[in-house]
Amino acid sequence: MRVIGTRALGLRTPIIRESDDLVAVLCQSVKDAIKHENIRINDGDIIGVTEAVVARSQGNYATVEQIAADVKSHFNNGHVGVVFPILSRNRFAMLLKGIAQGSQKVTVLLSYPADEVGNQLITWDDVDDKKLNPYSDCLSEADYRRLFGNEVKHRFTGIDYVAYYKSLNSNIEIILCADPKRILEHTDMIIAADIHTRARTKRALLTAGAKKVIGLDDLLTKPVTLPGANGAGGAPSGYNNLYGLLGSNKATEERVKLFPRDCDDFVKKMQEALREISGKTVEVLVYGDGGFKDPVGGIWELADPVVAPAFSSGLTGTPNELKLKFLADNNFANLSKEEAREAIEKAIKAKAGIDQMGKMESEGTTPRQITDLLGSLCDLVSGSGDKGTPAVLIQGYFDNYAAT
């Protein structure tokens, strides 16, 4: 029996720049790991690559001015409502800056007490204390300040998001409510800025009589080119034909990095290159935010539209596992340790090709897509700070207790 099961190793790489050959850079990092860390590549190993370096190598960026131009093309410089944005300097501030530049006026409807991914403006205890119903009680900024004070800081970032978002442009006003339809009291031209609930929000607003509703996924779906010097066209923006501005991050005070595009092509090239290096079939995925919840702050983390925008075919599906604890405590509880081990190994080998859904022996196993589980693991290993490991090597993920 193996004494180590799954392990995940962060791979150090050079700083990735625009136009770098990312496949070549990453393959060199794998070669370095093999040489210096005594690592052996096996069939079924997995390489996860963060979406950030894929997009950066693609040069998939857009300026605030280009965002503004796209907003203006949709709404003709009118009064725009922005519904349910998340509270984030990194994820949304520059987008709001662009929306405001491309609009005559912007009314932002913030969900309270928290945004879609769990960032709290206030707590549920605060809501209960003030006897508020977020789904019916719509607060103006004046109401919010009267009830909760002139400065309400996020517990982790220390940012007063109402004040910060208003500071991005003089034409921005803030209201707070958990009912998106209340934006229609201000304007009928709306951007649904939520991520995972955007389809429902768009549908609710259109049903309620909105004149025009788009999402962040409808902006920057194709390149935007602004006039350059002497009337010539400037450089076209980056874009994402599937997700638009969803999944973007702040790059500078005037530019955002978009979610990467054409990731399937990258995955195929990376898998082929790894096969040339190792002679093995290594699975590859591109990952963004993991899908997990912080038990202290309540933040769900997943601010990207998906955990894994692309992956090789061997990562399709969900785990088909047995619960060892259940087998040990129930089916084989009366056996000796050695007999129980042999019986469990036999049960695991016998499960091949048999769907365990609904069976008691699989109770408590995680019913999530393999790519969501792997992407979350990669995100935790690589982190979002200064670890310098934008790629993760995962080994033994598909092994089980019966593996030799």
Side-chain angles (χ1 to χ4, degrees):
M1 181 186 297
R2 286 186 191 161
V3 295
I4 295 177
T6 301
R7 64 175 183 171
L9 306 170
L11 296 179
R12 289 272 166 82
T13 72
I15 300 300
I16 306 300
R17 305 287 188 183
E18 292 183 46
S19 301
D20 280 352
D21 184 340
L22 185 59
V23 171
V25 171
L26 293 175
C27 284
Q28 184 59 52
S29 294
V30 172
K31 290 178 182 178
D32 292 342
I34 293 171
K35 179 179 179 180
H36 298 292
E37 301 294 339
N38 196 29
I39 288 172
R40 183 176 66 185
I41 302 298
N42 308 296
D43 286 322
D45 284 356
I46 301 159
I47 294 284
V49 183
T50 178
E51 58 81 21
V53 296
V54 179
R56 191 182 303 146
S57 67
Q58 292 174 340
N60 204 22
Y61 291 86
T63 65
V64 168
E65 190 178 6
Q66 288 165 332
I67 294 171
D70 205 13
V71 171
K72 190 176 295 186
S73 73
H74 282 277
F75 297 106
N76 196 29
N77 202 34
H79 181 183
V80 176
V82 177
V83 174
F84 293 166
I86 64 172
L87 306 175
S88 175
R89 293 166 292 173
N90 176 43
R91 291 290 191 167
F92 186 69
M94 293 303 99
L95 308 189
L96 179 56
K97 194 173 180 180
I99 292 168
Q101 284 187 20
S103 308
Q104 181 183 35
K105 181 179 180 180
V106 177
T107 301
V108 179
L109 188 152
L110 297 177
S111 175
Y112 80 93
D115 68 13
E116 176 188 6
V117 297
N119 282 299
Q120 292 183 338
L121 280 169
I122 53 178
T123 68
W124 275 107
D125 288 341
D126 294 328
V127 171
D128 294 341
D129 180 62
K130 301 300 182 182
K131 296 179 172 55
L132 293 171
N133 180 347
Y135 299 95
S136 61
D137 297 327
C138 191
L139 306 179
S140 65
E141 185 185 356
D143 295 331
Y144 176 67
R145 296 303 184 190
R146 174 176 53 82
L147 290 167
F148 301 107
N150 291 327
E151 189 175 56
V152 183
K153 292 185 176 181
H154 189 278
R155 65 181 297 183
F156 292 124
T157 66
I159 299 297
D160 182 323
Y161 280 98
V162 171
Y164 176 58
Y165 279 178
K166 278 203 67 176
S167 73
L168 296 173
N169 199 298
S170 60
N171 66 348
I172 297 172
E173 67 173 357
I174 307 286
I175 60 174
L176 300 94
C177 191
D179 181 359
K181 297 187 292 296
R182 297 297 292 271
I183 195 68
L184 294 173
E185 299 169 12
H186 300 262
T187 179
D188 59 3
M189 296 188 296
I190 304 158
I191 297 173
D194 44 349
I195 306 163
H196 309 289
T197 56
R198 63 189 184 275
R200 183 171 185 261
T201 299
K202 291 177 185 179
R203 185 171 64 248
L205 289 166
L206 289 169
T207 301
K211 182 178 179 181
K212 182 170 185 177
V213 182
I214 65 171
L216 293 178
D217 55 332
D218 298 308
L219 293 167
L220 271 292
T221 57
K222 57 185 178 181
V224 172
T225 302
L226 300 176
N230 303 318
S237 71
Y239 68 97
N240 189 300
N241 57 306
L242 294 177
Y243 299 115
L245 288 175
L246 289 179
S248 60
N249 297 84
K250 177 180 177 180
T252 70
E253 292 299 328
E254 293 298 327
R255 197 164 77 141
V256 297
K257 177 197 66 62
L258 303 177
F259 212 46
R261 62 180 189 269
D262 304 325
C263 291
D264 288 331
D265 290 339
F266 165 77
V267 165
K268 291 175 183 177
K269 290 177 182 177
M270 187 70 195
Q271 190 172 44
E272 290 170 1
L274 289 169
R275 186 178 288 111
E276 290 180 7
I277 291 174
S278 64
K280 305 294 183 180
T281 298
V282 177
E283 305 297 340
V284 179
L285 85 158
V286 177
Y287 67 92
D289 271 351
F292 44 81
K293 185 173 181 178
D294 172 20
V296 177
I299 300 170
W300 184 37
E301 180 68 19
L302 183 54
D304 287 323
V306 291
V307 173
F311 47 88
S312 53
S313 60
L315 302 179
T316 302
T318 59
N320 187 43
E321 298 178 333
L322 301 178
K323 191 76 169 180
L324 293 191
K325 182 173 64 176
F326 182 90
L327 295 177
D329 289 346
N330 292 272
N331 299 34
F332 311 124
N334 296 323
L335 301 180
S336 69
K337 285 186 178 181
E338 184 61 26
E339 289 172 336
R341 182 185 66 80
E342 291 176 356
I344 288 172
E345 288 183 0
K346 184 177 180 180
I348 291 172
K349 292 175 181 177
K351 75 171 185 178
I354 301 174
D355 189 354
Q356 301 299 318
M357 182 180 291
K359 295 185 178 181
M360 292 301 293
E361 287 79 3
S362 67
E363 183 182 24
T365 57
T366 307
R368 293 168 62 187
Q369 295 295 315
I370 290 171
T371 50
D372 290 341
L373 293 165
L374 288 170
S376 298
L377 172 60
C378 289
D379 190 28
L380 287 166
V381 171
S382 63
S384 57
D386 58 7
K387 287 184 171 58
T389 55
V392 177
L393 169 64
I394 301 172
Q395 297 188 302
Y397 185 81
F398 294 107
D399 287 355
N400 55 45
Y401 188 71
T404 57

